[in-house]
Amino acid sequence: MDGKGKITVRCKDLCKTFYAKNRKQDEENEVIRNLNLEVRENEFLVLFGPGQCGKTTILNLMAGLVEPTSGEIEVNGKKVDGPSKDRGMVYQTTALFPWMSVMKNVSFGPRMQGVKKAEWKKRAQYYIDLVGLTGFEDSYPVKLSGGMQQRVGIARAYCNDPDVIFMDEPFGHLDAQTRYLMEEEIEKICSKEKRTVIFVTNNVEEAIYLADRIVVLTDMPTTVKKEYMIEIPRPRDYTSKQFLSLREEITQCVEISGTFEEAGHGDE
């Protein structure tokens, strides 16, 4: 990613405050403050920062699931004013329909758009094969492991043919070994299926392994603290000198412990 090319997502002076009532007075919770961000076509951008700093809120704002208090968000030059099929989401939990097979889950978007059966089956099969679930087309989520369920969620997001895919800590609930494997899988998928991806994580190693660019966020009220262009050649080695040096630098930037267990892939 060279910093050039079409801007797919633009956030300008983005602010979000949540309001709640208690018995005595209204309470304000300012989550996002004057956030400015541009994401380019086919860029893999990682939003990284302290836990509970508002990363998921930023994704929900970009996806049109939450309205900003002030500021603007544009996707492909159009103001975001609600959800759209040009934006896909992969959630922290798999959020699959338990009564639907893998094929039906993956093809849900095209089927709801009225795409003809032959076309949606062909498209869904392509993404099922891409995420390594060939042979599981008729299986139901309850029969799948956590990693396999998340593969279904990723295939479903891609099958709807969005311009932008948001991924909200999709591997955070997986065990360490499965998480490693899923990081490798998502890198392979993204190399074959170019999309603008905005990925949220609080795992520094995951961020460095996957990202073209990492945007480090402040604690709440959240804004951009620093950006890192990740120029380490792919596939990346978690133990390389360049990787470990960058891990230490980013960990210090967000003012959390630099230990392997707390900042990286240690005991999860």
Side-chain angles (χ1 to χ4, degrees), residues 173-201:
H173 67 289
L174 302 176
D175 63 83
Q177 183 177 5
T178 304
R179 187 169 189 160
Y180 273 124
L181 294 173
M182 289 304 300
E183 289 166 3
E184 292 176 353
E185 282 298 314
I186 201 66
E187 184 184 34
K188 292 176 184 177
I189 292 166
C190 291
S191 68
K192 294 179 180 178
E193 280 291 313
K194 296 295 185 182
R195 294 287 194 286
T196 301
V197 177
I198 303 176
F199 188 102
V200 160
T201 184

Side-chain angles (χ1 to χ4, degrees), residues 23-39:
R23 293 182 178 180
K24 296 182 179 180
Q25 62 183 6
D26 292 347
E27 292 184 349
E28 295 185 1
N29 182 19
E30 186 183 16
V31 180
I32 312 296
R33 178 187 291 173
N34 296 330
L35 185 138
N36 290 281
L37 182 65
E38 293 180 347
V39 188

Side-chain angles (χ1 to χ4, degrees), residues 238-258:
Y238 295 100
T239 62
S240 71
K241 183 176 179 180
Q242 191 176 4
F243 194 106
L244 294 174
S245 175
L246 188 56
R247 186 189 75 170
E248 182 178 0
E249 182 179 349
I250 295 174
T251 299
Q252 291 176 351
C253 180
V254 295
E255 298 178 344
I256 61 176
S257 171

Side-chain angles (χ1 to χ4, degrees), residues 36-55:
N36 290 281
L37 182 65
E38 293 180 347
V39 188
R40 298 187 180 274
E41 186 176 29
N42 297 333
E43 181 177 18
F44 197 116
L45 178 88
V46 172
L47 298 178
F48 180 72
Q52 307 300 316
C53 75
K55 299 184 292 293

Side-chain angles (χ1 to χ4, degrees), residues 123-152:
R123 192 190 305 180
Q125 188 65 57
Y126 171 78
Y127 288 108
I128 289 170
D129 295 342
L130 185 64
V131 300
L133 288 177
T134 307
F136 291 91
E137 292 83 354
D138 297 327
S139 299
Y140 288 85
V142 70
K143 298 293 186 180
L144 305 177
S145 68
M148 293 170 74
Q149 289 182 29
Q150 200 57 278
R151 289 169 191 253
V152 177

